[in-house]
Amino acid sequence: MSVTTSLPPLSKGRDRVPLRSWLAVVAMAVGTFALVTVESLPVGLLAPIGKNLAVSQGTAGLMVTVPGLVASVTAPLLPVAIRRADRRAVLLGLIVLMVAANALSALAPDFAVLLASRFLIGVSIGGFWALAAGLAVRLVPERHVPRAVSIVFGGATAANVLGVPAGTLIGALAHWRVAFAAVGALGVLVLAALLWLLPSLPPERPVRLRTLPEQFRNPVVRAGILATFLLVSGHYAAFTYVGPILRDVSGFDAGMTGPLLLGFGVAGIIGNFLAGAAAHRNVRATVVTIATALALVLAVFPLAGRTPVGGAILLVLWGLAFGGVPVGVQTWILTSAPASAEAATALNTAMFNLAIALGALAGGVVADHLALSGVLALGAALTLLTSLAVRSARRV
């Protein structure tokens, strides 16, 4: 029996959503879980990788910068390149690429080969994220879309709860190479889940190259994309170096990084669903609240986070604030461009990943030349600027 049969058409007025539709949404969430785990895995492993391959912490941070840059290019171009291809087949191919890239990471003999594997990861991440949110909208009726988007992006915050801390713990107990191998094995399971649960998803409106710059004519889309850049670059300027921050600023032992990131991730999941519910009512106020909270946490961390207790509390608040970012900015984009969701989402995904790359890169420069508290100040400044981007847009 074929597993590529499309889901039956869904009427906007139907009260009951078929179980298979929600299982398909969950399968997409599992995919985002795997890819965010892959993307953020080096965050908890910078020190052992740097030591093993003889590179500085700032240089090791390129493992976050490289896939971010590649994903920022892949995200807008892949929807154009695949044109009328079935989105299900494309998503499965991207997961296969992720599995192969993690195998290469686990076997990398030097840092150059490791960066090459992270390049391939960037292709997979950019392509998957460009398609995921827009496809989630097609799996359930319109009134269930906010919940579906929250579930899909909940996979991303769940990765911070389970994926990144687990990878950090594996790296501490065994070896950082084992952590990459474990994520590759997870990718195989994700591939099986998507193969079984995801329906055929032919394109509704093929994205043409000219469709992408056309999105910038919409001032609300422009503001949302700028808000994405500021929030994400500010977060990753600091979060890429959260391990050293917890050790050198808050005084934690290196072995506590994994459990602390678990707390960060749990708070992130809560923040994701709180923001999803709030964005459905007022997306503008939700994004402003997230930006303000994140800026405050990062700004006070060098002062109030100088003890283990203070550092742990602020890390949880940090997770709660950032957990709402993906669903908040994606809801903004879907609300402002409902007729061209795939193109607008692709651009937002490109900006999201470019922000990860540039934020990590800027943080690396600051970490190598200034005190670690400098990356927190940089992150606070960038996130605080988000309110200016939001005010520049018409009401959404």
Side-chain angles (χ1 to χ4, degrees), residues 28-347:
M28 298 291 290
V30 174
T32 60
F33 172 88
L35 284 163
V36 172
T37 297
V38 169
E39 185 170 22
S40 301
L41 186 63
V43 168
L45 300 173
L46 287 184
I49 291 175
K51 182 178 180 180
N52 186 240
L53 299 181
V55 295
S56 69
Q57 285 185 160
T59 300
L62 290 173
M63 291 184 293
V64 179
T65 298
V66 167
L69 287 174
V70 174
S72 71
V73 175
T74 303
L77 295 183
L78 184 73
V80 176
I82 60 178
R83 296 183 65 80
R84 297 189 178 278
D86 189 308
R87 272 40 181 168
R88 175 183 182 273
V90 175
L91 290 177
L92 293 174
L94 292 168
I95 294 296
V96 170
L97 179 62
M98 182 268 283
V99 171
N102 273 283
L104 181 60
S105 296
L107 299 172
D110 53 42
F111 191 67
V113 174
L114 184 56
L115 280 186
S117 72
R118 299 296 292 174
F119 180 97
L120 298 178
I121 288 294
V123 174
S124 180
I125 291 168
F128 193 96
W129 276 100
L131 300 177
L135 296 181
V137 172
R138 296 170 54 185
L139 296 174
V140 297
E142 182 179 346
R143 67 187 186 85
H144 292 286
V145 164
R147 180 181 299 176
V149 173
S150 291
I151 290 173
V152 169
F153 283 100
T157 48
N160 290 317
V161 174
L162 300 175
V164 176
T168 303
L169 184 61
I170 291 171
L173 296 178
H175 199 277
W176 63 264
R177 296 181 186 275
V178 179
F180 280 103
V183 178
L186 172 65
V188 174
L189 297 178
V190 170
L191 181 64
L194 290 173
L195 186 64
W196 177 41
L197 293 169
L198 199 63
S200 176
L201 292 164
E204 291 183 326
R205 291 179 57 190
V207 178
R208 301 183 184 278
L209 192 60
R210 67 174 180 270
T211 308
L212 298 173
E214 286 174 358
Q215 302 307 307
F216 287 106
R217 297 176 184 173
N218 184 333
V220 186
V221 172
R222 288 201 307 267
I225 290 174
L226 180 56
T228 294
F229 177 79
L230 293 171
L231 284 169
V232 177
S233 62
H235 167 73
Y236 272 93
F239 187 68
T240 301
Y241 304 93
V242 69
I245 287 169
L246 292 172
R247 183 187 67 232
D248 296 346
V249 176
S250 299
F252 284 104
D253 292 334
M256 285 297 296
T257 301
L260 288 166
L261 288 179
L262 178 63
F264 176 94
V266 169
I269 284 186
I270 296 171
N272 173 79
F273 286 98
L274 288 176
H280 185 51
R281 296 190 297 270
N282 189 329
V283 66
R284 176 189 291 268
T286 300
V287 173
V288 169
T289 300
I290 289 169
T292 303
L294 190 56
L296 285 174
V297 169
L298 295 176
V300 304
F301 205 112
L303 300 175
R306 299 195 68 83
T307 65
V309 172
I313 292 173
L314 287 172
L315 187 66
V316 169
L317 294 176
W318 187 350
L320 188 66
F322 186 74
V325 169
V327 68
V329 296
Q330 187 58 48
T331 300
W332 180 294
I333 294 298
L334 293 175
T335 302
S336 59
S340 51
E342 190 167 277
T345 297
L347 285 176

